Amino acid sequence: MTPDNIRTKKLSLVANLGVAVAALLVSAALVLGLGIGNWVLVVVLGWALYLVGLLYVAGRVEGRRAARNRAWKSLIYSACILAILPLASVVWTLVSKGVGRLDGDFFGTSMNNIGARDQNGGAYHAIIGTLEQVGIAALIAVPLGVLGAIYLVEYGRGKFAGTVRFFVDVMTGIPSIVAGLFILSFWVLIVSPWFNDGQPRFSGFAASLALSVLMLPTIVRSTEEMLRLVPGPLREGAYALGVPQWKTILKIVVPTALPGIVTGVMLAIARAAGETAPVLLVAGGAAAINFDPFNGNQSSLALYVYQQAGDASKYAPARAWTAALTLVTIVLILTIAAKMLARRNSLTR
């Protein structure tokens, strides 16, 4: 038999589009004719009618087995589109509403001495606060998280390792407000008075401590999973050559898992950059610029968005949208830079 003889019939693109158009027309006639909904219900009902119609028409042309395959493929594609639509909507909303204040004044000034009737004012102080707080939190959480994951994968055995893994899992679900309250009660109210003549002190560093508490479990879990994906023969080959375990981990295991580790770290950084409650509790927020994260109140972009969104000024919403767009852009730039650096490891050159 030749390939031409064993080929089955295929449903044409015209017929597929015809089924879709007919489903939408029937859905519109039912929904709008009966007055039971709007265009959203038309699309949902039309999508369901399209799957039913596609299953029937494809079954008549291609057979029942091919028709079921085509229907499930359409269902999967539809689910993918539904998953992308919210993200596309968020991006479009941020860009369309955030470009209004993309100017030098927004990135070069703070909210110090800005009244409700003043259309100026920017987020320079909040940008500085976000970069400092997230940077310090990353310096604290990334080494601890990566080393903790290395211990769990390469060295951890017995009850102690199980206990560490259990508490890491528990910490993953801790609300951000709880982390902020912990740092408030421990660092701000107990430790900071030792360095401030007995008076509690808000600071950006306290916010960094709270953010590091939130970042740590994410980094540990993601790094642990990436290290477990490294093939065992890589380790065994190094051990067979007499390479010590610590050098095998440093030179072979970690570079192999580095792209995945970077992804987990960037997820933790993105979460920390968008947290509002810890900064509000332990950094206090400030309208003026403060470059010192260890002394005085400090703001962040997430806190700035929260404050401007609730401000009564008619100019505040535009500032909030631009600050949100700036925050997303910063996280995107950091993610792209980290991905590019992760690819330049010794095992992928």
Side-chain angles (χ1 to χ4, degrees), residues 266 329-343:
M266 294 313 302
T329 303
I330 291 175
V331 174
L332 178 62
I333 293 174
L334 292 176
T335 302
I336 293 175
K339 286 288 187 181
M340 294 178 65
L341 291 175
R343 292 178 180 178

Side-chain angles (χ1 to χ4, degrees), residues 26-263:
V26 173
S27 175
L30 290 174
V31 174
L32 300 180
L34 298 176
I36 58 176
N38 54 15
W39 64 270
V40 177
L41 185 58
V42 170
V43 173
V44 174
L45 182 60
W47 170 75
L49 293 176
Y50 166 72
L51 290 179
V52 175
L54 179 65
L55 185 62
Y56 174 77
V57 175
R60 301 283 295 181
V61 176
E62 300 177 337
R64 294 178 60 184
R65 184 175 182 179
R68 287 194 298 267
N69 178 70
R70 184 180 289 273
W72 278 106
K73 186 185 296 184
S74 300
L75 186 62
I76 292 172
Y77 287 161
S78 301
C80 181
I81 294 174
L82 288 176
I84 293 176
L85 281 178
L87 176 61
S89 177
V90 169
V91 172
W92 170 254
T93 304
L94 281 177
V95 173
S96 61
K97 295 187 176 182
V99 296
R101 283 299 315 273
L102 286 178
D103 50 41
D105 181 72
F106 182 82
F107 294 102
T109 60
S110 67
M111 292 297 297
N112 196 27
N113 297 324
I114 299 297
R117 297 183 179 181
D118 194 343
Q119 64 179 350
N120 296 322
Y124 179 67
H125 63 300
I127 296 174
I128 295 299
T130 295
L131 294 178
E132 290 184 350
Q133 293 164 20
V134 175
I136 295 175
L139 290 177
I140 297 173
V142 172
L144 292 177
V146 173
L147 292 175
I150 290 175
Y151 165 76
L152 292 176
V153 175
E154 304 293 338
Y155 298 98
R157 300 293 185 273
K159 294 183 178 180
F160 181 72
T163 303
V164 172
R165 191 175 290 107
F166 171 77
F167 279 106
V168 169
D169 292 338
V170 172
M171 288 179 62
T172 304
I174 290 180
S176 59
I177 189 69
V178 176
L181 287 173
F182 168 71
I183 298 301
L184 176 66
S185 61
F186 170 69
W187 181 266
V188 175
L189 299 180
I190 297 178
V191 179
S192 66
W194 296 353
F195 308 98
N196 192 35
D197 297 330
Q199 298 296 323
R201 172 183 294 175
F202 290 159
S203 65
F205 180 71
S208 299
L209 292 178
L211 296 180
S212 65
V213 172
L214 298 175
M215 293 172 60
L216 189 59
T218 302
I219 296 174
V220 173
R221 292 299 296 162
S222 60
T223 304
E224 181 184 1
E225 295 301 324
M226 291 301 105
L227 293 177
R228 292 188 185 279
L229 293 177
V230 177
L234 289 178
R235 298 179 176 89
E236 295 169 0
Y239 298 153
L241 295 174
V243 181
Q245 186 177 10
W246 69 270
K247 188 172 290 186
T248 300
I249 296 171
L250 184 63
K251 297 293 185 178
I252 296 178
V253 177
V254 172
T256 304
L258 188 59
I261 295 174
V262 170
T263 300

